[in-house]
Amino acid sequence: MLRRTLDALCCKLDGRAAAAKTARRKRAAFNEVLNTAVEKGYFAENPLNGLRWNAPAVNEEVDPAAVPNPAQVARLLAAVAQQRGRGPHLETFFGCIYYVAMRPAEVIHLRLEQCHLPETGCASAYGTTWARARKSVLTRMELASGLARRPYDLRHAGISFWLYSGVDPAECARRAGQSIEVLFRHYAKFLDGVREQANRLIEQSMQEWDRVSQGAAPAG
């Protein structure tokens, strides 16, 4: 029964697998509930003690099909800005997610002296605004593919574009606020282009070194 409960904690409400860190957080909370039950006399000891259990492996790679390119992001942000009410404010909100690769919660908690935010919170309505923007500017094929289905896909789009542009992965990880290990795990499919670009740079450097070794003047 305990193993089935722990396995259930690894799923979202829609039945899909949750991220590994989400599963660990839920397990820790469940453990604290059982500890409280022991303190109140419901259990003689915590039944999780001594239980060997590992969370199921989860594929955390970002799906390239869900990541919009810069032109598609521009269309989406323009569609957000054109919506009445919160639209202009949420354009900035979504822009921060894309251009700075911030998490939605990080954008919501930006300090007032750092940027201009609406006087009332925007967290509860941004999903609806984003859905309207997608429907108004994306083609039927783009919608069906799941392109930019979630606002969080803007963060993936920003980071993947940095990688595509040749920014060092370590710098991408620093800007995104995550470890280089997490970057490699999530964006493995986007790193192929970075490797190809690195190979070209190495080959160019080797060719330049051969030219200089043979007595030719350095290029440039």
Side-chain angles (χ1 to χ4, degrees), residues 205-219:
S205 296
M206 292 298 295
Q207 292 174 352
E208 180 64 16
W209 179 258
D210 289 341
R211 292 180 67 258
V212 173
S213 298
Q214 296 170 8

Side-chain angles (χ1 to χ4, degrees), residues 76-112:
L76 287 164
L77 293 180
V80 169
Q82 292 171 2
Q83 295 187 41
R84 295 180 179 179
R86 298 173 182 265
H89 295 300
L90 288 177
E91 179 190 18
T92 302
F93 174 81
F94 293 126
C96 287
I97 298 176
Y98 175 66
Y99 290 109
V100 195
M102 299 180 72
R103 300 172 179 85
E106 293 172 339
V107 182
I108 292 172
H109 290 94
L110 282 173
R111 292 188 302 238
L112 185 61

